[in-house]
Amino acid sequence: MEINKSEQTAGDNSTQVQAGTVNNYYNTTNIVGIDEERARTICKEEYAIAKANWTQEAQGIAQERVMALEDKLIPKMKQHDETLKIFGDPAFQFVLRKAQISAASSGEERDLDMLSELIVHRAEQNGKREQTLGITKAIEIIDQIPESSLIGLSTFYAIDRCEPKSFDIHQGLKTLDNLYKSILNDIELPVGTQWIENLDVLSAVRIAPSGIQSFKKMEEFLSNKLAYLPMGIERNSQEYNEILSELHKVGLYDPKEEIAELNEDNGDNKNALKIEMPLFKEHPLREGFLICVLPPKYFIDNGSIIVTVNVDSKEFDFPLNEEQYLAYKHLSEITYKDGRNVESLTSNLIKEWNNYETLNKVMVWWNQLPIFFAITPIGVAIANAYIRTKYPAIPSMY
C-alpha cells in the first residue's frame, strides 16, 4: 500500500514566500544583500583589526588559519542565507573577529569546523540574546576544550535532547545508534570527573554540590527517547475483533486478519466498496500484538487519505471516504496508545536497545556518571556545533 500526500508547510511563526530576484547591494542604513566577494573582504577587514595584537612572526601562521576558517564559513553561510546580508551587521562582525582570534590560536581542523558552525548558529539565532550570548562565549573558548571533554559533553547533550522522529521503533534506534557512533568517532567516552571539571572551569557546565542530586539511570527514561512506544492490540482479543468489525462495516479489509468469531461481519455494509489492503503490522516489541500500518501523524491534516489498491492485478489510487477515513484513524489511535507504563514493553525496549553496540556503550557510560551537573548556554552551543560537524543531518537543538 502506498500513501499519497502532498503539502506545503511552514514552521511556527514563519511565512512562505515565492522567491524572486534578489538584488545584492548594501548601504549603511538598509542592508539588502552582500555578495561573496564583499563578504570575504569584510572577513579580511576584521582580520586586519584582530592581527594588530599579534607580532609579525605570528601573523603569517594566523593568516593561514583564518583563511582556512573563511573557506569553511562562506559556503555554510550561503546555505543559510544567499544574500549574506548579516555580514553587514556590526554585532556579527564583532563575533566574526572573535572567531578569527580563536582560529588563529588553534588551527586544528576540528576547531575550525566548530567555529564555522558556531558562526552560522549565531546567524540563525540572530536577535535571540539567550542563545547568541552562549554562542559568543563558546567561540572564545573553542581552542581550550580537551577532546575528551568535548565528546563527553556532546554525547551527554545528545542523550538528553535528541529524539528520532521515526514512528518505526527499529528505525528510531538505528538512527540514534548512528548519531552516537558519529559523535564518538571511534574515541572512547571519558570516565571519572576530570572531563566534567574541565567543562566547569570553562563555564560549559555547572557542577552541583556533592550529594545534592544525581542523574536518573537511562533505563528510567529510555522510552521517552522514541516518538512513540505504542501499546498495540492483542490478536484475536475482544478489542481486535471489535476494530476489525468496525473496519469491515465501512469496506476496509486486511487480507491477513480475520475476526475470530465467524459471523456476518457484524452487519457488513454491502453498499461499501470492498478495499483490501494492509491495515495491521506486527508490533516490533510485543509478540502476538499488532499496530496500525500508519501512525497517528497521517490522520491530522485534512480528513482524507488516498491509498493504492490492487484490483484485477492492476493498481489504482483510491481516496477513502469519510467513514473509512475515521475508521482507519480509530485503528491507528487505539493501537498507538502510549505503552510507556507497560513494564514488559519497556523491558523489551531495553533489550532491543542493548542489541546495538554503540547504544549499549552509551547506556553503560551514562549510568556511571560520577557527579551531577547542568549544561550552560555555552555548553549547549558547543555541543550543537560539535554534533553538527559529525552528523550534519541533525538540526540545531537550541
Side-chain angles (χ1 to χ4, degrees), residues 86 117 123:
I86 198 169
E117 282 293 331

Side-chain angles (χ1 to χ4, degrees), residues 241-253 259 263-275 279 321 323-324 327:
N241 286 334
E242 289 174 352
I243 192 62
L244 266 188
S245 179
E246 180 182 340
L247 292 165
H248 289 184
K249 285 181 180 180
V250 296
L252 298 180
Y253 293 80
I259 296 177
N263 52 33
E264 294 291 328
D265 283 350
N266 199 21
D268 190 9
N269 183 357
K270 302 302 182 182
N271 293 323
L273 176 64
K274 184 175 181 179
I275 301 176
L279 298 169
N321 63 36
E323 289 183 335
Q324 292 166 336

Side-chain angles (χ1 to χ4, degrees), residues 30-48:
N30 184 25
I31 300 171
V32 177
I34 289 174
D35 60 23
E36 180 176 338
E37 181 180 358
R38 177 56 187 153
R40 288 184 178 274
T41 300
I42 289 173
C43 289
K44 292 176 174 58
E45 290 171 354
E46 289 303 315
Y47 170 68

Side-chain angles (χ1 to χ4, degrees), residues 151 155 158-159 173-189 218 222 350 352-367 391:
I151 291 174
T155 303
I159 294 171
L173 293 177
K174 184 178 180 181
T175 298
L176 285 176
D177 189 66
N178 289 336
L179 169 63
Y180 299 144
K181 194 177 297 182
S182 298
I183 293 173
L184 297 184
N185 196 27
D186 296 324
I187 298 173
E188 292 298 318
L189 283 159
M218 186 176 283
L222 189 55
I350 292 169
E352 189 65 27
W353 176 285
N354 286 324
N355 285 334
Y356 292 83
E357 181 180 358
T358 307
L359 294 185
N360 176 256
K361 183 184 300 185
V362 164
M363 177 184 284
V364 172
W365 175 79
W366 175 281
N367 287 345
Y391 201 84

Side-chain angles (χ1 to χ4, degrees), residues 163-174:
E163 299 177 3
K165 298 303 182 182
S166 174
F167 286 79
D168 183 312
I169 292 172
H170 292 299
Q171 183 59 49
L173 293 177
K174 184 178 180 181

